[in-house]
Amino acid sequence: KKLVEEFAGQNQLVIVDPVMGDDGNLYSTMSDEMVLKMRELVAVADVITPNLTEASLLLDKPLKKNMGWDEAKEWLRKLAEMGPEMALITSASIENTDSIFVLAYDKELDRFWKVEHKYVPQYFAGTGDMFTSVLTGSLLQGDNFPVSIERAVQFVRLVIHSTYGYRQDSSKEGVVMERVLHMVRNPL
């Protein structure tokens, strides 16, 4: 937080991916104190990209799978009220579908987005980091928020499908992105 504040006003873009947990649980390396500190860091961010578990921890709300779209919008607004201009929730299951969604809110425009992708029954380590990296690169290259979200979702989707097609344990061996890396800059 101190570093962000030190460089404040220098035309910076602050993106925070609050990596704290997944699937309803804190990671073993995280603590309740870390959640409190992450709330402080989120307050100075321009964009945040928590997954559903991390959003529930930031908001101090019980994890709720398959929430309705109206409740998801409420969560996004509350995340934005913590400080960032743009809030996303990745890996969200809403509306009792078999899909996974990226949900987003732009506070200044007061607009919401939800981008759907089909659930693949396997855990893919590192895809949240990959999503935030592509989103960040897209924003820095001048793409607007919804285009950046779509670009990140499409790339992660390609990586997941590419990895799922190989016979490997992605939770241990990671994802196969080399085969699709060139597609990160393709037109949408």
Side-chain angles (χ1 to χ4, degrees), residues 86-155:
M86 295 172 238
L88 290 98
I89 301 175
T90 63
S91 304
S93 54
I94 62 169
E95 302 173 338
N96 292 314
T97 67
D98 290 333
S99 296
I100 299 297
F101 293 85
V102 172
L103 311 173
Y105 176 61
D106 183 318
K107 183 168 53 177
E108 183 179 334
L109 298 175
D110 194 29
R111 289 190 184 150
F112 294 92
W113 293 271
K114 75 179 161 180
V115 181
E116 179 179 9
H117 52 101
K118 296 295 179 193
Y119 173 74
V120 176
Q122 187 171 341
Y123 175 74
F124 297 93
T127 53
D129 300 328
M130 191 178 308
F131 175 89
T132 301
S133 297
V134 173
L135 178 84
T136 302
S138 187
L139 288 169
L140 289 173
Q141 290 193 18
D143 289 337
N144 65 29
F145 190 45
V147 168
S148 298
I149 296 165
E150 187 65 38
R151 184 175 305 287
V153 168
Q154 282 187 17
F155 183 69

Side-chain angles (χ1 to χ4, degrees), residues 22-46:
D22 202 2
D23 202 25
N25 300 303
L26 270 175
Y27 292 133
S28 60
T29 55
M30 295 293 136
S31 65
D32 291 336
E33 180 184 350
M34 188 66 170
V35 173
L36 297 175
K37 292 293 186 186
M38 191 60 74
R39 288 180 187 146
E40 291 177 19
L41 185 58
V42 162
V44 297
D46 298 308

Side-chain angles (χ1 to χ4, degrees), residues 42-43 48 59 74-85 87 105 107:
V42 162
I48 60 170
L59 295 172
E74 179 187 323
W75 278 39
L76 287 164
R77 272 198 174 104
K78 289 196 179 302
L79 287 168
E81 286 171 6
M82 296 176 81
E85 288 299 313
Y105 176 61
K107 183 168 53 177

